[in-house]
């Protein structure tokens, strides 16, 4: 089967995807010298690509099937050629079939599809066999289910066979959400970070954003969202739950929340939300506190403004809070790290061929100050790049708990329908050469604490609840006292 034209080659984005369902959803980091920093470079289709079955389904599916077969081909080729470990073609084919079978089972249909061995027995090569499997599914089920759904089920199954949580197919809806996140928000919503409680499978509030409708409505960190406009959230996919909460600015969403074993209904009027990456203030005299919630397009600029403001206010030491920060743009991690590291390496990536690419500091650091970086088990991906670089360079110390441990990078390859495939293409190491994947980064000073406290009001935290932050202040005060002797 000849290689399909590179219909997604115009934009390739290298990412670090934390995918921490317990934090805020999907975050990505990218680095590519030819890519514009403006995420509008992503070719995102804004229409409703996943149309319902209509009376002209036969004609529509006939015209769509060629593109969907091309997308499957492209997925097969990219994962086979670019995945950071060797790939077994037969596993991809078995995965494709499993994905289709699972999709049909969820629709209460017992799949009637050839086995991988049967397809290969016909003399097809592996890529042609993948096409034949999907074509058989189209022939058998396209009058009942959208071919786009079948194609994504096949691609998702194929990628799922790698047992890599960061390699997956992204639907057009997923890609629109990605673009929204990396732009820092700018959508109709209520202004709240949510996550999945791994024990109860409920949606919980991690943090309402100050000044937003959620904050004004009195939502608090730790609130359990039991339903959204009547939809029970137990076991609900985090992205789907966020989709329910978001909506047209000016409309109202009704949340049933549980707090301290009591339930209440909270009605919140949506508005256009511009999510900031950074909040900051002076605390305890001459210490500047900066909380970074993600690594988006604007994060480095926001951090630079925050640091400049704190320095003008006389900050002699800095606390950088990366707790519950699931990651973001790789370039943002480099730019943010560079504010504290004068020169030298920030991070190195290593592909399947052993080729190493190193990103160095931008040489625009602020004047050196005593620095503490707060981390916890939900500090991941780009957060770990920054934390690891600061720790290795001895520009500051880490206080908190061991980080999440995501040390692999992904590349997003766009598909013509507005979706994409995301494939792990490399791993990364810290400046000292540490591979932290599935290991995390141990803090210099270990302090355990409930991560939900991070989302509470800073004033309350400073009064004793945030023992990690209080430990940081104690450490910095000792450092400042020592420097004045």
């Amino acid at each position: 089967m000849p290689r399909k034209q590179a219909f997604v080659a115009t934009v390739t984005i290298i990412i670090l995807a934390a995918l921490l369902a317990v934090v805020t959803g999907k975050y990505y980091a990218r680095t590519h010298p030819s890519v514009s920093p403006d995420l509008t470079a992503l070719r995102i289709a804004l229409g409703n690509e996943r149309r319902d079955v209509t009376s002209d389904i036969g004609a529509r599916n006939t015209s769509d099937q060629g593109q969907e077969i091309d997308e499957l081909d492209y997925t097969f080729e990219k994962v086979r050629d670019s995945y950071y470990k060797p790939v077994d073609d037969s596993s991809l084919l078995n995965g494709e079939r499993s994905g289709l079978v699972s999709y049909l089972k969820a629709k209460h249909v017992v799949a009637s599809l050839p086995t991988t061995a049967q397809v290969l027995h016909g003399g097809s090569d592996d890529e042609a066999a993948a096409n034949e499997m999907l074509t058989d599914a189209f022939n058998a089920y396209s009058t009942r289910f959208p071919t786009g759904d079948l194609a994504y089920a096949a691609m998702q199954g194929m990628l799922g066979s790698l047992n890599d949580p960061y390699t997956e197919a992204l639907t057009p809806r997923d890609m629109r959400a990605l673009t929204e996140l990396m732009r820092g928000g700018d959508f109709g919503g209520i202004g709240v970070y949510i996550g999945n409680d791994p024990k109860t499978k409920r949606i919980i509030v991690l943090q309402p954003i100050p000044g937003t409708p959620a904050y004004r409505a009195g939502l608090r960190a730790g609130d359990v969202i039991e339903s959204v406009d009547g939809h029970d959230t137990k076991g609900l996919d985090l992205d789907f739950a966020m989709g329910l909460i978001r909506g047209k600015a000016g409309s109202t969403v009704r949340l049933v929340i549980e707090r301290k074993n009591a339930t209440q209904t909270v009605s919140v009027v949506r508005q256009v939300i511009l999510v900031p990456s950074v909040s900051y203030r002076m605390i305890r005299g001459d210490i500047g506190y900066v909380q970074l919630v993600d690594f988006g397009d604007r994060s480095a600029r926001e951090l630079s403004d925050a640091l400049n403001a704190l320095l003008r206010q006389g900050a002699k030491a800095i606390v950088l809070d990366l707790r519950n920060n699931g990651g973001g743009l790789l370039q943002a991690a480099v730019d943010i790290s560079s504010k504290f590291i004068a020169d030298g390496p920030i991070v190195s990536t290593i592909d399947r061929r052993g080729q190493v690419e190193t990103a160095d500091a931008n040489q625009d650091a602020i004047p050196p100050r005593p620095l503490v970086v707060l981390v916890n088990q939900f500090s991941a991906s780009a957060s770990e790049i920054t934390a690891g670089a600061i720790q290795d360079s001895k520009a500051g110390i880490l206080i908190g708990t061991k980080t999440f441990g995501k040390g692999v990078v992904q590349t997003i390859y766009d598909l013509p329908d507005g979706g994409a495939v995301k494939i792990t293409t490399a791993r990364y190491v810290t400046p000292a050469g540490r591979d932290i994947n599935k290991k995390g980064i141990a803090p210099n000073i270990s302090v355990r604490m409930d991560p939900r406290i991070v989302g509470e009001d800073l004033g309350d935290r400073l009064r004793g609840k945030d023992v990690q932050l209080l430990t940081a202040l104690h450490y910095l005060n000792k450092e400042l006292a020592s420097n004045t002797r």
Side-chain angles (χ1 to χ4, degrees), residues 271-329:
Q271 68 178 46
V272 174
I273 303 294
L274 185 61
V275 182
S277 296
V278 173
S279 59
Y280 67 95
R281 60 176 278 190
M282 294 291 290
I283 55 177
R284 300 287 171 89
D286 48 9
I287 296 176
Y289 171 80
V290 182
Q291 184 179 34
L292 184 65
V293 296
D294 63 38
F295 287 72
D297 271 333
R298 293 192 295 263
S299 299
R301 294 191 297 273
E302 291 179 14
L303 177 72
S304 183
D305 292 343
L307 291 173
N308 290 335
L310 292 171
L311 294 178
R312 286 194 299 269
Q313 295 174 49
K316 297 179 181 178
I318 300 293
V319 175
L320 176 63
D321 194 342
L322 297 182
R323 294 173 298 177
N324 294 357
N325 184 323
L329 302 178

Side-chain angles (χ1 to χ4, degrees), residues 39 75 81 91 180 204 229 252 280 297 337 448 453 458:
L39 268 180
T75 300
D81 298 341
S91 294
E180 187 177 273
I204 61 172
D229 284 337
T252 299
Y280 67 95
D297 271 333
S337 302
R448 299 185 65 82
I453 293 174
L458 180 58

Side-chain angles (χ1 to χ4, degrees), residues 120-141:
L120 290 173
H121 183 69
S124 300
D125 63 32
D126 293 339
E127 189 172 340
N131 291 347
E132 186 176 335
M133 183 79 70
L134 183 56
T135 300
D136 286 341
F138 287 160
N139 291 338
Y141 302 108

